[in-house]
Every structure is written in structure tokens, then in C-alpha cells.
Amino acid sequence: MITCTKELKSSYLKDIIRQIKLKNNFEPEFIQAVEEVLSSLEPVILEHEEEFKASALLERLVEPERIISFRVPWVDDKGQVQVNRGYRVQFNGSIGPYKGGLRFHPSVNQSIMKFLGFEQIFKNALTGLPIGGGKGGSDFDPKGKSDMEVMKFCQSFMNELQKHIGQDTDVPAGDIGVGAREIGYLFGQYRKIRNTFEAGVLTGKGLEYGGSLVRKEATGYGLMYFMKEMLKANNIDIKNKTVIISGSGNVAIYACEKAQQMGANVVAMSDSSGCIYDKDGIKNNIIKNIKEVNRGRIKDYLHDVPTAQYYENNSNIPPVYNIKADIILPCATQNDITIDTAKLLVKNGCMAIGEGANMPCSNEAIEYFLGNNILLAPGKAANAGGVATSALEMCQNSMRYFWSFDEVDKKLENTMINIFNQCKNASEKYGYKNNYVAGANIAAFMKVSNAMKEQGII
Ligand code: NDP
């Protein structure tokens, strides 16, 4: 359970949360992410309170090792100069090179970068692979831009970013607004500036130049491997369950694909404009064509499937969540599910939530789901398949070798089963029943805090 700060027993923890709120007053997403993690760690903190206090462990954990912010000037197709702001948050490198995606979206700011970087520390620890936590991006909006404009922006962004990354230092990948096209332009510019083919500096690369099979599918597939395992542990079969998915980007499309392969019935998907409902089951190849090829809107689905319905986004509850389903997969963005949406979903009889996105549920919504015995697969565990496969891409780059699709997919599946077991075991050990949110936080924290402890006060 996320414990309300007022109910915390640890004075050290209460003090830290108070300090974080004061110090990061204008960073609501970051405060939300930190509060969610720290409050669920209380049983562990109480066991080691004096030791953690003496080494200021929590104070160091919540302070990024480094934040880089920079100007990104570029020239648009009309010849006008545009200026965006770029970021890289190198949050915690205690278990490996910083690793985490780049997000290009107009909403990007320091609070969002820090919350994503903070989450990434724990997610990466859960994969069991040697990767630290980082995140980056820009307030650049690729939507509506020509390929030439996207390329010019990516090149200018990399002119600065290249000073701070490297295959043993910091390895970015994609996130919202950064897919194969953007990674290609970023990698090209890095290679030109450095005059070296350092494949392991970026992941999510094209297959022709060092990318890994399954990386594109990994976050969505991994989400469903985790979901299947969580349901199995609770004696529920995923077959024939109805599923709705918020979003229709990389994570959403491959979660849909795997859910369908597992025999579930996906009936709705969305984008930031609205959602489509197809009671006969979403035709994922049509969604792929709209989003991956034409860069169009989800509404275009109706051209191919006129019997489907479209609902415009025009209230505080995104319309996709009005559709009744057993399994809900928020795969769009943070705080998509507020307390009002959570109440609606529970009233409509959902049984499980799988967070494909990062922090898609508000803390109140998480609390409500857990309080109503809804199974909740937390993002930092359930969507870790993407970064885990990125680490496998780095591994193949180091070996100058490629694994087959089935080899990578099997490693991904085993990783997700292992992550689920870590969440389950840690939650049971600390008396949280079926609370995989707390389980994920505790299992990851144990690993990161041990590494920090052994490396001294840095
Ligand atoms: P994409 O850019 O491929 O797709 C994002 C999807 O979410 C689009 O359908 C988009 O709609 C929708 N969306 C974005 N912002 C908003 C918003 N403010 N309101 C409503 N809808 C929105 O991104 P990804 O699929 O890669 O990422 C989705 C989520 O998964 C993010 O939270 C990301 O951090 C997380 N994630 C991604 C990983 C990856 O490997 N890609 C790994 C782990 C987590 P529209 O096109 O209309 O903007």
C-alpha cells in the first residue's frame, strides 16, 4: 500500500519526504514518484533506519548524480530558427552505465525527466542486468514535423548530448516521440562527430546497424509476460479475457499483439485525441499501418473498419476507460488514470491493471485499486522488458554478434517471470499481500542500496 505520509512511523522517512517536497516544490511528478517509492519502503527503512540515516542513503538516492540541460537550435522547413530545450538526467550509476530513454514531447520539463529517471533506477535494478538509471529528452514535438525537420532537430540535439554519453557511460534509447527514425538520426550524428562505430551507445537501433531482434516488441511483450504470470499466480487464465489499451504507440501495439497471441480479446485502443472500440477485436495490423507507417490518428481505423466506433477525448476521464474490460493496460503517459477513472474501472468490474506506461496511475488511484483487491502490475516492473532487451542489445553489440528472435524472446520472457517472482517474494517477505507495487520497490531498493553502500559516500 502507498502509505499516507501522516501514517508513516519512521521519522527519518517523514523528514526526507518533507525535505523533498520543500526542495522540489515545482516538480509535482518527481514528488509523486518519490513518495510512491519511499512510503512503500517503510518496513525496510525501519529495519535499517540508523544505518541509512548515518550514510544519508535516502538523501543521496533522491538527488540525481547529474542533470544536464542544454539549448537545441535548429532550422525548420520555412528557414526559421527554432529553439528547444534538451535534458539528460544521470540519476544513479551505482549498478551500471546510466540507461534510459529519450522523450520528445511538448510536455517535457525537469520534473518529468526527474520522475522518469528516478523510476528507471528501480526498473533497471529489477532486470538483474548491469544498468544504472537515467532519462532524457526535449520539449520538441515531432508530431506534424517533416522528416527533414526531425533529422535537423536530432542532429542538433546530439551535437550536445554526445559530450555526455558513451557505451560505458550513458546509453539512451527511445520513449514517447522517439522511435526507430529518431534513433537512426541520433546514431548517425554521433557516429559522424566521434568518427567511431560505437554501436552500444544507443539502443533501439535498426537491425541493419546493430539493433536487436525483439527490441521493438519488447516492452509490450514483456508487459504481457508479466501480466500472464501475475494472473497465473492468482489462478486466473488470460484466455478470453477482455482487454482495453490506452495509447497506440510502441508499447500499446506490441502489448496488443502479445495479448491476442495469448488468446485475450483486445477491444479498444486510443491516442491523445480519442479512442476506437471494435467489439470484434482490434485488427492490430491496421493500427500498425496507421501509427508506424502513416503516422496518422487512431480515428483513421474507421476507414478500414467502418463497424468500429470512435469516441472523442472530451472529458477528464479518457473515453477508452468507459469501455468495460477485465484487464486494463495504460500504455500512453503518466497520470492517465486518476482516482475518478480508478473508481469507474472498479465499478465496471476490472480485475487487473498492467502499467505499460511509466506512472500511468496517480498515487490515489493505486491506493484505490489495491484497496479493492485489483491486481496491479506496476510499471517499473511490468514495463521493464524494454530496457532489459536494450541491455541485451548492448550485450550483442559488445560481442559483435546477433541472437535469433526466439533466443531474445525467450530471454525476455524469463526476465519478466524473474521480475514477477522478485515482486511477489519481496511483497510476501514484508507482509504486503498481493501488493506487487510495494514488492517491486522493495526488491529493487535492496539491490541499489547495497551497491550504493558498498561504493561509499559518493
Ligand atoms: P509512443 O510515442 O510510441 O506512443 C505514445 C502513445 O501515448 C501514443 O498513442 C500517444 O498518443 C499517447 N500519448 C502520449 N502522450 C499523451 C498524453 N499526454 N495524453 C494522451 N495520450 C498520450 O511512446 P511509447 O509507446 O514508447 O511509450 C508509452 C509509455 O510507455 C510512456 O509512458 C513511456 O515512458 C513508457 N515506456 C516505453 C518504453 C519503450 O520501450 N518505448 C519502455 C518503458 C516504458 P498521440 O500520438 O496522440 O500523442
Side-chain angles (χ1 to χ4, degrees), residues 103 143 175-177 215 219 248-251 272 297 332 357-358:
R103 176 176 292 191
K143 235 181 263 158
D175 190 81
I176 292 179
R215 176 59 190 91
T219 310
S248 49
N250 173 265
V251 180
S272 58
R297 307 306 297 158
N358 286 308

Side-chain angles (χ1 to χ4, degrees), residues 10-11 19 66 124 137 248 370 421:
S10 161
S11 55
Q19 278 179 39
R66 199 169 296 105
N124 293 4
S248 49
L370 296 176
N421 286 329

Side-chain angles (χ1 to χ4, degrees), residues 272-274 311-322 336 338 340-341 344:
S272 58
S273 308
Y311 302 99
E312 197 82 26
N313 220 350
N314 56 13
S315 85
N316 65 332
I317 296 184
V320 69
Y321 295 121
N322 284 317
D336 198 18
T338 59
D340 291 340
T341 305
L344 176 67

